[in-house]
Structure formats: C-alpha cells, structure tokens
Amino acid sequence: MASVGNVGGEGAPIKMEGTDAYEVTGQPDHQLDRVHGHHRVPFQTYLDQAEISRGREARGETVSTDYQEKGDSKTPSLSSHEEELITARRALRTAGWASVFYLITTDILGPFNAPYAFSQVGYVPGVILYFVMGGVACYTGLILWRLFIKLDSDRYPVKTYADLAERIFGRWFKHLCTVLQSIQLIINVGTICLSNGQAVEQIARNKAFCFSIAILIWALFGMVIGQIRSLKSYGWLANSAVWLNLIVIFSSMGFVAHSPPNYASALAAYGPAIASGPIQKAAFVSQPIFYKVNGIMNMVFAYGGAMIFPEFMAEMRRPMDFWKGMVCAQLLISVVYMLYGIFVYAFQGQYTLPLAFQGVSKYGWQTMGNSIGLITGIIAAGLYGNIGIKIAYISIVEDWMQGPPLMSRRGRFIWTGMVFIYWTLAFIIGSAIPQVQTISGLVAAICIMQFTYTFPPLFLLGFDMVVDAAKNDPGDSWSSLSRWKRGFFSGRWMFKLFNFVLFLGALTLAGLGMYGSGTAIKVTFENGAATSFGCTPPV
C-alpha cells in the first residue's frame, strides 16, 4: 500500500530529505508512494489531484495543462515527454457510459458456454452460483470504479488495472497484475481463434481444412483488425456484436427445442463414454469433482471483464459515469446467461457442447449460429487484443523504453509490429490446447478469479487502511504494529474484515479451480479427438 505491501522491500518508506517541494503538508514522509516518472509522489497527492480532475469533469471544463493549482507548490512540474504522453492519452478519452455497456457485454464467449456450466453442476448449483457470482462481480466492479475515481487524475492518470495495484501496494504488485493480465488477454484471444476454427470446421462439415489451419485463418484476420488503436473505434462494432449475440441466443433456443443434440460433436468433444443413453438432466449432477470445478470456472468466465474496467474508464470522457454502464451490463449478463444456460441444458442434458449453438444437429441451423458467431467472436477478439497490446505498449515502449506515445506516427509503426507478434502467440495457444471448455476454465482460475473477485476487495482494504492510518498520525511507519492497528481498526473495521474474508474465499476458489481445470484438460486429451497442433477438430 502506499508502503503496506513493501515493508523492507522495493518501495519501502523513503525519507525525502532536501526535497520539501515533493512533500504534502501534514503528511509524514512514510506516506510517500511509488515513483511516478522521475518523481516520488506522496499518496495524498494522488488523492488531491484526482479530486481536482473530478471537479473539472463535473463542471464540464476543458482539461488544463497546468496541473499545479493556484498556491500549490507541492506537485512537480511536467517534463516535455510527460506532457506529450498526457496529451496523447487525453485524446483517447472520448467514450461514454453507453459505449462501456456495449464493450463489457461483448464477452469473449457470450453466453454460449453457460449451458455447458449447467451440465457440469446441475440446475440448483448453477442458478445459485450465477446469481451469487453476478452479485459479487457487480460489487467488485463498483470497488474498481471507486478506486479509479479516487486515484486517477489528468496529472497522474490510471491507465491500466496494474496502475491501481501500484498506487496501493507498490511496483511489485503492478508487475504481478501486468503478467496475469497479459496471460488472460492472450489466452482469451487464442480461445476466440479456437472457437472460430471450430465454427469453420462445422460449416465445412470437417472436410475442407486441417483444424490448425482453420485457427490460423482467424489469427491472420485478427492481425488486420488489430490495427485499430482507439477503443472508440470499437464502440459501434461492440454495439452490433451485442445484438448479433442476442439473435444467436434466441434462434439457437428455438433450434435446440426442435432438434436432437449433436451426438457426433459430443462424441468428438468428450469421448465414447458420452455417446450412449438418453438425455439426462438433474438438479444436482453426480460426477468427479474436477469436472464440477471446471464448470464453475466457466461461470466465472462470464464475469471476466473486470480486468479491463480501468482501461475502459481511462478512455471515458466522464469516468464518474462508468457505474451506469457496468451495472447495466452485469445485470444483463447475469439474467441472459442464466436463462439461456437453463433452457439449453433442459433440452440437451449431458450432450451440451461448450459452445451451445454448435450442439444443434441440423446443418442449416448449425451454420446460421456459426456464421454469426464468427462475426461476434472476431469483434471480441479485436477488443481484447487491442487492450492486451495497449498494456504491452504502455509498459514496455512508453514506460520502460521511454518510446513514442501510442497515438504518434512512430507509435503506429511499433503498434503494427506488436499486433503481428500478439496474434501469432494467440494462434499457438489456440492450436496447442484445442478444448474451449477447459482452456476457458483454466484462464478463469488463474486470471479471471483474481481480477474480478480476489484483487478488488484486497485493493479496497489496502486503500482504506492507508487513508485511515494517516488520520491522527503520530509519525510511526508500517514496520510498527501500531500503524497496522490504526489502519485496520480506526474506521469501519467490520467492512474491512468483510473484504479480507472475501479476498481469502476468492483465493481459495481460484486454487481449487486450477486443480479442476488442469485435471479436466488431462482427461479431455485422453478421451477427446483433438490433439495439439493436429488436423482433427474437437467437434
């Protein structure tokens, strides 16, 4: 936290002797936060600058390049490179809350893995878990919004999820978030290439392409749409993707109600054991625990957008309005996913496929869902790829190498090269693990659980402790037990305890999810038809 996570390590409290211009009146030197650019910035300065920025936004004022308010000599002046970066980032702040709603609902798999999740756990656990996880995801989304509002400013912008982590816990936590975020995004994009490859194979009736080539086609297509740099350019695409997904949802519901399951695809996906007996549905499904855990992780996948919420807010005209788009999106996701999952599972039972619309047995109906799914899938891939490459650009090119801003002419050439590398890695991932249901469960356990459920309550706990510990400060540091006690017990300690318990619970579920998904991958490779970098499709 402004030192809580760094006692005795990198970012530990530092005495700023001879640099009074960087101190905040009334704040002791151990309140100094991370290095921002070439300056060590007090935690209180982030709060003050954020309050100034929110006030300007509320009044509708144009952002000034003079970040030192009248009478404020505490905030260091900007270098020419920092001014150039801030001007470039301000040019990206054009999205409204409606655009955020569409971007959040442009989910990587849409609701199409929800029926598979129900087939793994049954009706009762499925409904309860979707409801509970949706409510908690909405709560953690509001946490991220509150922290962004409190810590982001024109002078010290929060550009990524990792920036929030750094403001509260230090650079080591920022690096952890950046790594996990990069892993999630690249696997998300690889999963979309995989699901689109499956769609191509079904459209071609498994005769036209080697399956790895079908995945490669979409990786190459992604290299083209990946040249878009601003999220605003994805706004209308995300809008269309939402309505196209709704068409697939309602049409596939009609299809599964009037046709038997796709037994051949179920056999290819799950192995011989699945291809016998009548359709079975149950309130509680009886099967090995690792299958149930993998199903739960597929539910978690529905709420995986929290990882890029700060990136969305960083490109909004008024970040204060983010909660409107987020709450509406989470409500839509919870209701639609749950109803769709129950309906399809009721007709297809244990034969439900990881992409539900591919479980339709009639070729014409199957092709309709696959064709629309190809469009919505590549839009979602472009969105996640855009965010992923942007994180890499900011972290490596701008911050580490002190390179040109993203929106500059030289930035365009660097961006193009990074797009090619990114989508090449996505192809490798999609072709190496050709199982939508298990790869989505694995990334949910490793990454999505942390960004949506584990980290936000920990961030809020850390933020509140830093702020409360600064009240009536006698001058102690985080190496003293007294500061920890004051930070935790000086205000709303029950609320802090709630967030800490929520953090521990989410962390435990993530560990269980890694076990379940890893075991499911092993068993699916043993029983399914697909192999790594092979030509046999898993449908």
Side-chain angles (χ1 to χ4, degrees), residues 304-327:
M307 171 201 59
I308 51 178
F309 283 178
E311 280 81 348
F312 289 160
M313 287 183 271
E315 298 197 22
M316 290 185 68
R317 289 188 301 271
R318 284 177 49 86
M320 285 291 291
D321 292 337
F322 171 80
W323 72 270
K324 302 175 185 176
M326 189 274 297
V327 171

Side-chain angles (χ1 to χ4, degrees), residues 117-442:
F118 274 93
S119 73
Q120 301 302 295
V121 299
Y123 289 119
V124 175
V127 170
I128 293 174
L129 287 169
Y130 260 113
F131 178 77
V132 171
M133 288 184 171
V136 177
C138 188
Y139 169 67
T140 57
L142 291 173
I143 288 177
L144 294 174
W145 168 69
R146 180 176 183 269
L147 293 176
F148 185 93
I149 294 303
K150 291 288 187 179
L151 295 172
D152 169 77
S153 64
D154 301 311
R155 175 64 179 86
Y156 301 111
V158 172
K159 306 178 288 297
T160 66
Y161 195 110
D163 285 343
L164 283 179
E166 181 183 22
R167 301 282 167 93
I168 299 170
F169 289 106
R171 293 191 67 84
W172 71 274
F173 213 121
K174 175 179 182 177
H175 297 324
L176 172 64
C177 287
T178 299
V179 170
L180 289 177
Q181 209 170 10
S182 300
I183 291 173
Q184 179 179 337
L185 287 166
I186 192 68
I187 295 180
N188 283 357
V189 176
T191 303
I192 290 178
C193 291
L194 171 60
S195 59
N196 278 8
Q198 290 184 182
V200 169
E201 288 288 347
Q202 281 198 328
I203 292 172
R205 296 193 173 183
N206 301 336
K207 295 179 180 178
F209 298 103
C210 170
F211 184 56
S212 290
I213 299 299
I215 298 174
L216 178 61
I217 290 172
W218 295 102
L220 294 174
F221 191 77
M223 293 178 184
V224 176
I225 67 168
Q227 301 305 321
I228 299 175
R229 288 178 289 176
S230 172
L231 278 182
K232 183 182 180 182
S233 302
Y234 276 102
W236 68 274
L237 287 173
N239 186 342
S240 63
V242 172
W243 298 109
L244 289 172
N245 273 334
L246 290 174
I247 291 174
V248 176
I249 289 170
F250 291 119
S251 62
S252 62
M253 289 171 73
F255 296 158
V256 300
H258 296 88
S259 69
N262 189 339
Y263 296 108
S265 291
L267 174 63
Y270 305 128
I274 199 71
S276 62
I279 295 174
Q280 298 176 357
K281 297 96 63 179
F284 297 89
V285 173
S286 177
Q287 63 175 338
I289 185 65
F290 63 85
Y291 278 128
K292 292 184 178 181
V293 171
N294 188 58
I296 294 172
M297 289 301 105
N298 274 265
M299 294 181 188
V300 170
F301 211 92
Y303 304 107
M307 171 201 59
I308 51 178
F309 283 178
E311 280 81 348
F312 289 160
M313 287 183 271
E315 298 197 22
M316 290 185 68
R317 289 188 301 271
R318 284 177 49 86
M320 285 291 291
D321 292 337
F322 171 80
W323 72 270
K324 302 175 185 176
M326 189 274 297
V327 171
C328 291
Q330 298 289 29
L331 181 62
L332 177 67
I333 288 172
S334 297
V335 173
V336 171
Y337 284 36
M338 189 170 10
L339 293 179
Y340 183 69
I342 293 172
F343 186 92
V344 174
Y345 175 57
F347 283 97
Q348 297 204 327
Q350 76 273 30
Y351 298 104
T352 303
L353 291 181
L355 292 174
F357 60 84
Q358 293 182 348
V360 179
S361 56
K362 292 188 178 181
Y363 175 74
W365 295 350
Q366 191 184 94
T367 301
M368 174 185 169
N370 280 325
S371 299
I372 299 177
L374 291 175
I375 298 172
T376 58
I378 203 64
I379 291 173
L383 169 65
Y384 281 87
N386 177 279
I387 296 293
I389 300 169
K390 203 168 284 180
I391 290 171
Y393 191 98
I394 291 172
S395 301
I396 298 173
V397 179
E398 289 187 358
D399 293 345
W400 180 38
M401 301 178 64
Q402 294 292 298
L406 172 61
M407 301 304 288
S408 66
R409 181 180 177 84
R410 286 193 300 154
R412 152 58 67 190
F413 292 111
I414 298 174
W415 175 271
T416 299
M418 294 178 72
V419 167
F420 287 119
I421 296 172
Y422 197 86
W423 283 87
T424 299
L425 293 174
F427 160 73
I428 293 172
I429 291 170
S431 190
I433 311 178
Q435 309 163 15
V436 170
Q437 73 276 21
T438 53
I439 193 174
S440 58
L442 183 63

